Amino acid sequence: MNRRLLLSLMAVLTSLALTTSVVARDPLPDGGMAHKRTVASSVAGGDKQHGPHAVFECTALSGGANTKLDCDDPFPNNEPDVEANPANPANITASSNDYGSCCDQYYTTVNGGASWSTGNMSIEKPLKTGSDPVTVFDRKHGTAIHASLSYSLQHAAGTQACDGDVIVSPSRDGGVTWLKPVAVSDGVGCDFSKFQLFNDKEWIVTDNTSTSPHYGRTYLVWAAYLSSSGTYLQSAINEAHSDDGGFSWTKPKAISGSNSALCSIQANGPAGVCDQDQGASPTVGPDGTVYVAFINEQNAALQGAGETGQDQYLMVKSTDGGVTFSSPSSIVGLEDGSRDYPLNVDDRQTLTGYQVRVWGVGNMVASPTDGKLYLVFSDNRNGTHDSANPVTNSDVFLMVSSNGGASWSGPTQVDAGAGDQWFPWVDVDPTNGHIGILYHDRGASNGATYNTALAEGTPGSLVKTTLSAAPSDPTHSVFFKAHATGCDACATFFGDYIGLSYGTDGVANAAWTDMSTLDSATGNFRQFIFFARH
């Protein structure tokens, strides 16, 4: 996607509708960091930034086929992650960006989703804001490990994000309570005339295979954005790992490597270095091999005429527990450049008739049964692209490797139906090795609403089920209004991804950003996290 990497790391303040007490920050130009917000104490019930490191708020009860996990306030939540405990499939934890507090929202169940403990967490220190939360379970050490970004807002209007840290909050009780965050990588600088390091879009995985030589090691990856005097320098993928359940971490190091054939465009630095990256996704094979997939926009051969920002998926791997990583290899090129999608009012890529920003990033997972690698993404190769007036027919695609990433088959279209599909997430059922792919689907007519669907089975033989009980409508939104001509109430943001996790019981646990909750006062729709088991 066109991530505007050459822009400085800046977030633009945007008023949320219906109240002047809550404001949302626009994402960073790279497309990774979510909107966040400052919340007036009169609305949020006090300054939670100066309270405990996690604050219980309420209990959400099962809603039947779909459960609305947000029970705390009417403000938005998005970018959910969900993870099932490999030692106890009834223990599931989810998380999201939370616009009713400074930081992240956690949702934890110990009874298979009958009830959820919900609250705020990742509260690192005063005047810091949390974002992009994701959790994993460490079976060996008996911890849940929650990773997040934590950053500051600067300037009089609080319009610029800086000092972006990667932090981790451990839990010893399956995510019911959370301990003090640990800083894995400290961001640098809030003086935009000097050097800055801003960490973005982290993801985490634990080696839970008891026969692996690195059983119990947790790997954390993220994009480390470097800039100087407001000028973008690079955003290599960094990695750190923990051997004690998330309480201490190795020194971060860049792992995205060099490949002159794949990374032939260079903004700064040595030729051939693959350091304009984002969207890293780590996974661990049953033999302990660590794989990290990420998008990169430095392949000149992929750029269309007059086009920039065309991405490719690259992969690096480690066979020694993250001590060293291979040079990057190619998985697939994407059709997601600057002339491949319509642009919204913020000059971000969107879908035809929408204003919400989209990108092609999905994730990669290794099968615990046979080690096969599965990667999902979306792009507009089947729509009108390489055009001044692109029209979307965005589709979800699957790539498969049976030899540790040495070669890949695909891309295979996941949903044969017409219309836009996007935000894919793949996981593997450990009971039978089948895969599930969760994604949003507008339907053949590309209308105003979308549903959230799950395709399950084996590659080439996937059965689609619609999980959302009611369609979501991002064209009539309470928050993040575009105020665009003919689309005044269209949302510009509803997160960058959704989540899927299979338990050891073979049940799929899905979480997504849902916009089906009607606000009767305005006739528009709110933005919450919904959950389903299938």
Side-chain angles (χ1 to χ4, degrees):
M1 70 176 284
N2 185 6
R3 292 177 284 124
R4 299 283 76 85
L5 287 172
L6 298 181
L7 297 177
S8 64
L9 295 176
M10 177 185 292
V12 180
L13 201 66
T14 306
S15 294
L16 285 176
L18 301 186
T19 175
T20 59
S21 300
V22 181
V23 293
R25 297 200 308 274
D26 202 10
L28 288 177
D30 62 87
M33 190 182 75
H35 291 66
K36 294 296 290 182
R37 73 289 101 186
T38 55
V39 182
S41 60
S42 61
V43 172
D47 183 3
K48 296 172 184 174
Q49 294 177 341
H50 296 275
H53 299 290
V55 179
F56 170 79
E57 291 184 288
C58 55
T59 299
L61 301 178
S62 173
N66 289 179
T67 298
K68 183 170 79 73
L69 297 183
D70 297 303
C71 55
D72 53 338
D73 56 52
F75 300 115
N77 291 74
N78 51 47
E79 296 196 340
D81 172 54
V82 62
E83 301 293 334
N85 189 340
N88 175 13
N91 178 198
I92 307 157
T93 184
S95 57
S96 72
N97 291 328
D98 176 30
Y99 295 79
S101 75
C102 73
C103 301
D104 304 339
Q105 193 81 18
Y106 73 86
Y107 319 90
T108 300
T109 180
V110 294
N111 53 22
S115 61
W116 295 80
S117 172
T118 297
N120 302 320
M121 64 173 304
S122 300
I123 305 170
E124 182 188 14
K125 61 183 70 170
L127 304 181
K128 298 283 279 191
T129 297
S131 181
D132 294 15
V134 58
T135 306
V136 73
F137 285 95
D138 179 345
R139 188 167 191 167
K140 178 179 178 180
H141 298 99
T143 58
I145 306 170
H146 177 96
S148 180
L149 306 179
S150 180
Y151 55 92
S152 299
L153 284 176
Q154 293 294 310
H155 292 204
T159 58
Q160 292 182 309
C162 62
D163 189 23
D165 305 334
V166 176
I167 63 171
V168 162
S169 302
S171 171
R172 295 191 184 277
D173 57 11
V176 176
T177 60
W178 300 92
L179 303 176
K180 180 180 179 179
V182 177
V184 179
S185 177
D186 283 325
V188 175
C190 282
D191 185 340
F192 289 85
S193 67
K194 297 180 180 179
F195 173 83
Q196 285 187 286
L197 163 62
F198 193 100
N199 298 299
D200 189 28
K201 193 62 70 180
E202 89 299 339
W203 213 263
I204 192 169
V205 68
T206 297
D207 186 342
N208 282 316
T209 302
S210 60
T211 56
S212 166
H214 307 292
Y215 174 49
R217 180 164 291 180
T218 296
Y219 303 89
L220 183 59
V221 298
W222 65 93
Y225 277 82
L226 303 182
S227 63
S228 180
S229 300
T231 299
Y232 167 81
L233 299 177
Q234 65 180 50
S235 53
I237 301 302
N238 278 26
E239 183 270 347
H241 48 268
S242 172
D243 286 320
D244 62 1
F247 290 93
S248 63
W249 295 83
T250 59
K251 182 180 179 180
K253 62 179 182 295
I255 64 170
S256 40
S258 301
N259 187 320
S260 58
L262 297 174
C263 300
S264 52
I265 300 172
Q266 185 57 264
N268 293 281
V273 177
C274 300
D275 60 1
Q276 293 176 214
D277 312 317
Q278 180 59 287
S281 171
T283 188
V284 182
D287 64 350
T289 300
V290 184
Y291 305 90
V292 181
F294 55 94
I295 57 169
N296 169 278
E297 63 175 20
Q298 294 174 260
N299 192 334
L302 294 178
Q303 311 299 321
E307 190 169 51
T308 60
Q310 193 99 330
D311 282 313
Q312 59 183 336
Y313 250 113
L314 303 180
M315 188 194 80
V316 295
K317 68 179 181 179
S318 174
T319 58
D320 57 11
V323 177
T324 61
F325 281 83
S326 68
S327 296
S329 60
S330 175
I331 301 177
V332 65
L334 277 61
E335 197 67 58
D336 69 340
S338 59
R339 289 164 52 85
D340 294 331
Y341 281 82
L343 300 181
N344 69 7
V345 292
D346 298 324
D347 288 329
R348 306 305 297 271
Q349 290 174 324
T350 188
L351 302 172
T352 299
Y354 274 7
Q355 286 286 318
V356 287
R357 82 166 191 215
V358 299
W359 65 342
V361 171
N363 74 307
M364 180 174 66
V365 65
S367 171
T369 61
D370 58 13
K372 283 186 179 179
L373 297 175
Y374 301 95
L375 178 133
V376 289
F377 68 96
S378 65
D379 71 10
N380 197 38
R381 68 186 61 203
N382 291 332
T384 302
H385 57 85
D386 297 317
S387 168
N389 298 291
V391 178
T392 58
N393 180 18
S394 175
D395 288 307
V396 170
F397 296 96
L398 172 68
M399 301 292 296
V400 182
S401 177
S402 300
N403 54 13
S407 62
W408 294 82
S409 62
T412 302
Q413 189 171 327
V414 170
D415 188 327
D420 290 325
Q421 292 87 34
W422 71 100
F423 283 6
W425 206 260
V426 63
D427 199 22
V428 180
D429 182 343
T431 66
N432 58 19
H434 290 183
I435 61 172
I437 302 170
L438 189 73
Y439 56 96
H440 288 328
D441 177 24
R442 285 178 77 178
S445 65
N446 267 359
T449 62
Y450 68 85
N451 282 291
T452 302
L454 175 65
E456 293 182 297
T458 57
S461 184
L462 297 171
V463 177
K464 175 182 175 180
T465 302
T466 297
L467 295 186
S468 51
S472 291
D473 187 352
T475 69
H476 295 88
S477 179
V478 173
F479 297 107
F480 309 117
K481 288 185 177 181
H483 300 300
T485 302
C487 206
D488 180 77
C490 284
T492 58
F493 186 68
F494 60 171
D496 286 326
Y497 51 84
I498 54 181
L500 177 69
S501 177
Y502 281 91
T504 53
D505 54 359
V507 175
N509 301 283
W512 65 91
T513 304
D514 189 279
M515 296 187 68
S516 66
T517 303
L518 179 68
D519 177 71
S520 58
T522 64
N524 292 325
F525 293 89
R526 295 189 175 272
Q527 194 175 113
F528 295 121
I529 303 305
F530 275 44
F531 170 84
R533 284 167 63 82
H534 179 75

